[in-house]
Coordinates of all heavy atoms in Angstrom, one line a residue:
F182 N -87.6 -48.5 -100.4 CA -87.3 -49.2 -101.7 C -87.4 -50.6 -101.6 O -88.1 -51.3 -102.5 CB -85.8 -48.9 -102.1 CG -85.3 -49.7 -103.2 CD1 -85.7 -49.4 -104.5 CD2 -84.4 -50.8 -103.0 CE1 -85.2 -50.2 -105.6 CE2 -84.0 -51.6 -104.0 CZ -84.4 -51.2 -105.3
M183 N -87.0 -51.3 -100.5 CA -87.1 -52.8 -100.4 C -88.5 -53.2 -100.3 O -88.9 -54.3 -100.8 CB -86.3 -53.3 -99.2 CG -84.8 -53.3 -99.4 SD -84.0 -54.3 -98.1 CE -84.1 -53.1 -96.7
E184 N -89.4 -52.3 -99.7 CA -90.8 -52.7 -99.5 C -91.7 -52.4 -100.7 O -92.9 -52.8 -100.6 CB -91.3 -52.1 -98.2 CG -90.6 -52.7 -97.0 CD -91.2 -52.1 -95.7 OE1 -91.8 -51.0 -95.8 OE2 -90.9 -52.6 -94.6
T185 N -91.1 -51.7 -101.7 CA -92.0 -51.5 -102.9 C -92.1 -52.8 -103.7 O -91.2 -53.5 -103.9 CB -91.2 -50.5 -103.8 OG1 -91.0 -49.2 -103.0 CG2 -92.1 -50.1 -105.0
D186 N -93.4 -53.1 -104.0 CA -93.7 -54.3 -104.8 C -93.2 -55.5 -104.0 O -92.7 -56.5 -104.6 CB -93.1 -54.2 -106.2 CG -93.6 -53.1 -107.0 OD1 -94.7 -52.8 -106.8 OD2 -92.9 -52.6 -107.9
V187 N -93.2 -55.5 -102.7 CA -92.6 -56.6 -101.9 C -93.3 -57.9 -102.2 O -92.6 -58.9 -102.1 CB -92.7 -56.3 -100.4 CG1 -94.1 -56.3 -99.9 CG2 -91.8 -57.2 -99.6
A188 N -94.5 -57.9 -102.5 CA -95.3 -59.1 -102.8 C -95.0 -59.7 -104.2 O -95.4 -60.8 -104.5 CB -96.8 -58.9 -102.6
K189 N -94.4 -58.8 -105.0 CA -94.2 -59.2 -106.4 C -92.9 -60.0 -106.5 O -91.8 -59.6 -106.3 CB -94.1 -57.9 -107.3 CG -94.0 -58.2 -108.8 CD -93.9 -56.9 -109.5 CE -93.7 -57.2 -111.0 NZ -93.7 -55.9 -111.7
K190 N -93.0 -61.2 -107.0 CA -91.9 -62.1 -107.1 C -91.5 -62.2 -108.6 O -92.4 -62.8 -109.3 CB -92.1 -63.5 -106.5 CG -92.3 -63.4 -105.0 CD -92.4 -64.8 -104.4 CE -92.5 -64.8 -102.8 NZ -92.6 -66.1 -102.3
G191 N -90.4 -61.7 -109.0 CA -90.1 -61.8 -110.4 C -88.6 -61.8 -110.6 O -87.9 -62.4 -109.7
R192 N -88.1 -61.2 -111.6 CA -86.7 -61.3 -111.9 C -85.8 -60.4 -111.0 O -84.6 -60.5 -111.0 CB -86.4 -60.8 -113.4 CG -87.1 -61.6 -114.5 CD -86.7 -61.1 -115.8 NE -86.5 -59.7 -115.9 CZ -87.5 -58.8 -116.1 NH1 -88.7 -59.2 -116.2 NH2 -87.2 -57.5 -116.2
I193 N -86.4 -59.4 -110.3 CA -85.6 -58.4 -109.7 C -85.8 -58.6 -108.2 O -86.9 -58.4 -107.6 CB -86.0 -57.0 -110.1 CG1 -85.8 -56.9 -111.6 CG2 -85.2 -56.0 -109.4 CD1 -86.3 -55.7 -112.3
R194 N -84.7 -58.8 -107.5 CA -84.7 -58.9 -106.0 C -84.1 -57.6 -105.5 O -83.3 -57.0 -106.2 CB -83.7 -60.1 -105.7 CG -83.6 -60.4 -104.2 CD -82.6 -61.5 -103.9 NE -82.6 -61.9 -102.5 CZ -81.6 -62.6 -102.1 NH1 -80.6 -63.1 -102.8 NH2 -81.5 -62.9 -100.8
R195 N -84.5 -57.2 -104.3 CA -84.2 -56.0 -103.8 C -83.3 -56.1 -102.5 O -83.5 -57.0 -101.7 CB -85.4 -55.1 -103.5 CG -86.1 -54.7 -104.7 CD -87.4 -54.0 -104.4 NE -88.2 -53.7 -105.6 CZ -88.5 -52.6 -106.1 NH1 -88.0 -51.5 -105.4 NH2 -89.2 -52.4 -107.2
G196 N -82.4 -55.1 -102.3 CA -81.5 -55.1 -101.2 C -81.0 -53.8 -100.9 O -81.4 -52.7 -101.3
V197 N -79.8 -53.7 -100.1 CA -79.2 -52.4 -99.7 C -77.7 -52.5 -100.0 O -77.1 -53.5 -99.9 CB -79.3 -52.2 -98.2 CG1 -78.7 -51.0 -97.7 CG2 -80.9 -52.1 -97.8
F198 N -77.2 -51.4 -100.5 CA -75.8 -51.2 -100.8 C -75.3 -50.1 -99.9 O -75.5 -48.9 -100.1 CB -75.6 -50.8 -102.3 CG -74.2 -50.2 -102.6 CD1 -73.1 -50.9 -102.3 CD2 -74.2 -49.0 -103.2 CE1 -71.8 -50.4 -102.6 CE2 -72.9 -48.5 -103.5 CZ -71.7 -49.2 -103.2
C199 N -74.6 -50.5 -98.9 CA -73.8 -49.5 -98.0 C -72.5 -49.3 -98.7 O -71.8 -50.2 -98.9 CB -73.7 -50.0 -96.6 SG -75.2 -50.0 -95.6
H200 N -72.2 -48.0 -99.0 CA -71.0 -47.7 -99.7 C -69.7 -48.3 -99.2 O -69.0 -49.0 -99.8 CB -70.9 -46.2 -99.9 CG -69.7 -45.8 -100.7 ND1 -68.5 -45.5 -100.2 CD2 -69.6 -45.6 -102.0 CE1 -67.6 -45.2 -101.1 NE2 -68.2 -45.2 -102.3
S201 N -69.5 -48.0 -97.9 CA -68.3 -48.5 -97.2 C -68.3 -48.2 -95.8 O -69.2 -47.5 -95.3 CB -67.0 -47.8 -97.9 OG -67.1 -46.4 -97.6
A202 N -67.3 -48.8 -95.1 CA -67.2 -48.6 -93.6 C -66.7 -47.2 -93.3 O -66.7 -46.7 -92.1 CB -66.3 -49.6 -93.0

Side-chain angles (χ1 to χ4, degrees):
F182 168 75
M183 285 193 288
E184 293 183 343
T185 303
D186 299 328
V187 69
K189 183 179 178 181
K190 293 184 178 180
R192 301 184 323 277
I193 301 172
R194 184 183 180 196
R195 295 171 185 248
V197 176
F198 163 56
C199 286
H200 181 270
S201 64

